[in-house]
Amino acid sequence: MHSKALAPEYQGALTKMSVNSSLTDVLAEGLRHLREAELTGSQQEVARCGLAVAEAHRRLGDVEEADRAWKASYRAARSAGDQGAMAWALWSGGTLARQRGELRLAFRLLELAADMGERGGDIVARGYSLAGLAETGRIQGDYRTVAALHEQLLAEARARGEARHTVWALEGIAQIHRNTGSLDSALAMFEEAAELAGAADDRRGRAWALRGMADIISLRDDPERALALLSEAELTCREMKLSSALAYNHKMRANVLFRARRYEEARRVYAQALDEFRAMTEPRGEALARLGLVKSLARLGRAPDETVADLTELRRTLDRIGLLNAREMVDKAFAELGVAPADDADEKSGRR
C-alpha cells in the first residue's frame, strides 16, 4: 500500500508544500521563509529553507542561482551541525551537477550526500542520494553497474510504501530496459509508474511516465497516441513550471514526429527544445536536441558535409561529458544517414 506522494526536499517551514506545488510558488515561499530564518538567526532553518530555494531554482533552469543556494544551505547546515541537512544540500548540489553535465562532480557530491545521510540517520536523504547515483550512472549509459542499485531502491521504496520513490525507480528501470531493447517490459513499467503516480497524486512523476510510454508507443508506430500522451504531460509541465521536464517533453515530441517522417515539424520542435535546454544550461538535453535537429535537416536535404561536421562535433561533445549511450546514438546516426565520420572519410581518401 502506497501513501500519497510527498516532497521531502521541502523542509522546515515549507514542509506543508505539496509535491505538485508550482515551482514559482515554492520559490516565493522559500525565499520568504529564508529571509525570516536569517533574521531569527536559526542556521538549521536557513539550511532547510535554502534547500527548497535551491531545488526550485534548479527545476526552473536558474542554474547559477541554484548553485549559490545549495552551497549556502550546506554552509548553514554545517554551522548548525545538522548532518541530515548537510546531506540534503549535497544531494541538491549533485543533482544540479548532473543537470549541468558535470558527471564526475555529480558522482562525488552524491556519494558524500549518501554517506552524510547515513551518518546523520536520515534514511530518506540517503535513499535520494543513492537514487541520484543510480540515475547519474544510467544517464551515462553504465547500465550494468547501476541496474542492481535501481532494483534495490525499488524494493526499499515498495517496502516503505513511498509512492514517489517507487515511481522514480520504476521509470529508471524502464528506461534501462528501453535502451537495451526490452520494450515490452519497459512499457509495462512505465504504465505501472503512471498508474501509481496518478493514484498517489504525483503529477510530476506521472508526466515523466507518460513521456516514457509515448517513446515506446511511437517506436511501435502509433504516433498519434504518443503525441496525445505528450500533450497530457505537457499540461502538467506548464502548470507546475517544470522547465527541464517541458524541454525533454518537447524533445520527445520531436522524436515522435521524426519517426513518423514528419521532418519539417520535427525540425521546428527540436529547435524549440534546443533553445529551452540552452536557456537552462543543460548540456545533455542540448546535445540530444542538436542530434535530432541534425538528423532532421539531413532528411530535408542538407549537404552531407555539413551533417558530417555537426555529427563529428557532437561526438566530441558527448565524449567530453561522458555520455556513453548518447555517443552510441551519434555513431548510429552516421550509419542511418549514410555518411561517414570525418576521420573515416580522410582515411578512405588517403589523407592523414
Side-chain angles (χ1 to χ4, degrees):
M1 185 69 182
H2 291 89
S3 61
K4 290 293 184 182
L6 301 174
E9 68 272 32
Y10 300 156
Q11 302 173 8
L14 285 93
T15 303
K16 293 183 180 179
M17 296 294 289
S18 165
V19 68
N20 297 320
S21 295
S22 163
L23 291 176
T24 51
D25 290 344
V26 173
L27 181 58
E29 284 296 290
L31 288 170
R32 181 170 72 83
H33 287 293
L34 178 59
R35 286 191 291 267
E36 292 175 359
E38 289 171 341
L39 289 173
T40 64
S42 172
Q43 289 301 296
Q44 187 176 53
E45 189 66 12
V46 167
R48 301 288 180 173
C49 294
L51 173 66
V53 170
E55 281 301 286
H57 275 307
R58 181 183 68 78
R59 291 165 178 164
L60 287 166
D62 305 328
V63 294
E64 297 302 329
E65 292 293 339
D67 191 53
R68 283 189 283 270
W70 84 260
K71 289 175 180 175
S73 175
Y74 179 80
R75 288 193 297 270
R78 185 176 59 187
S79 176
D82 187 336
Q83 290 183 317
M86 291 167 68
W88 278 107
L90 289 165
W91 165 80
S92 180
T95 306
L96 176 65
R98 182 178 65 239
Q99 182 172 314
R100 301 176 80 168
E102 299 169 340
L103 299 187
R104 288 183 182 176
L105 178 60
F107 278 120
R108 183 158 62 88
L109 291 175
L110 290 166
E111 285 169 353
L112 289 170
D115 179 64
M116 190 68 70
E118 185 167 8
R119 284 194 281 152
D122 192 324
I123 61 171
V124 179
R126 173 187 169 275
Y128 269 59
S129 301
L130 290 175
L133 287 168
E135 186 165 348
T136 304
R138 175 171 55 78
I139 286 171
Q140 191 177 37
D142 188 8
Y143 303 137
R144 181 174 299 178
T145 301
V146 301
L149 182 54
H150 273 81
E151 295 284 357
Q152 172 197 328
L153 293 167
L154 174 60
E156 291 179 4
R158 286 195 193 277
R160 291 198 296 266
E162 292 178 357
R164 188 178 175 210
H165 218 111
T166 301
V167 167
W168 168 86
L170 282 168
E171 291 170 352
I173 297 168
Q175 194 63 50
I176 292 174
H177 285 206
R178 181 259 185 256
N179 289 350
T180 53
S182 301
L183 298 186
D184 289 344
S185 59
L187 181 57
M189 284 187 164
F190 278 128
E191 288 173 339
E192 182 183 352
E195 182 178 355
L196 177 55
D201 196 25
D202 176 6
R203 299 183 66 203
R204 181 188 301 137
R206 179 171 169 78
W208 281 106
L210 292 177
R211 176 184 174 275
M213 289 171 58
D215 182 25
I216 296 172
I217 288 166
S218 94
L219 287 170
R220 293 179 165 177
D221 205 24
D222 191 351
E224 294 310 317
R225 185 181 170 214
L227 292 170
L229 290 170
L230 290 169
S231 294
E232 180 184 343
E234 182 170 351
L235 286 175
T236 295
C237 294
R238 291 191 180 280
E239 288 171 4
M240 294 181 62
K241 305 295 191 295
L242 303 174
S243 303
S244 180
L246 181 61
Y248 276 105
N249 180 290
H250 288 156
K251 187 200 70 77
M252 183 57 67
R253 176 174 290 274
N255 286 357
V256 172
L257 293 168
F258 183 89
R259 291 167 189 160
R261 298 179 177 81
R262 293 158 63 174
Y263 299 125
E264 178 54 34
E265 292 176 81
R267 182 199 64 77
R268 288 199 300 270
V269 184
Y270 278 128
Q272 177 186 0
L274 180 57
D275 288 342
E276 291 167 340
F277 285 124
R278 282 175 171 164
M280 66 184 74
T281 318
E282 188 156 346
R284 172 175 171 263
E286 180 181 340
L288 293 172
R290 282 178 60 200
L291 175 59
L293 185 57
V294 169
K295 289 170 63 177
S296 298
L297 290 169
R299 293 301 189 195
L300 290 167
R302 191 180 186 211
D305 59 336
E306 294 179 7
T307 298
V308 168
D310 279 350
L311 289 177
T312 302
E313 181 190 354
L314 257 177
R315 190 163 62 171
R316 292 194 197 102
T317 298
L318 293 167
D319 278 342
R320 186 175 67 251
I321 298 173
L323 297 172
L324 309 179
N325 181 60
R327 160 65 193 267
E328 290 176 5
M329 291 168 63
V330 174
D331 289 342
K332 289 177 182 177
F334 278 110
E336 179 185 338
L337 299 173
V339 295
D343 50 359
D344 291 354
D346 286 347
E347 287 181 12
K348 288 177 181 178
S349 62
R351 292 192 296 270
R352 292 290 185 270

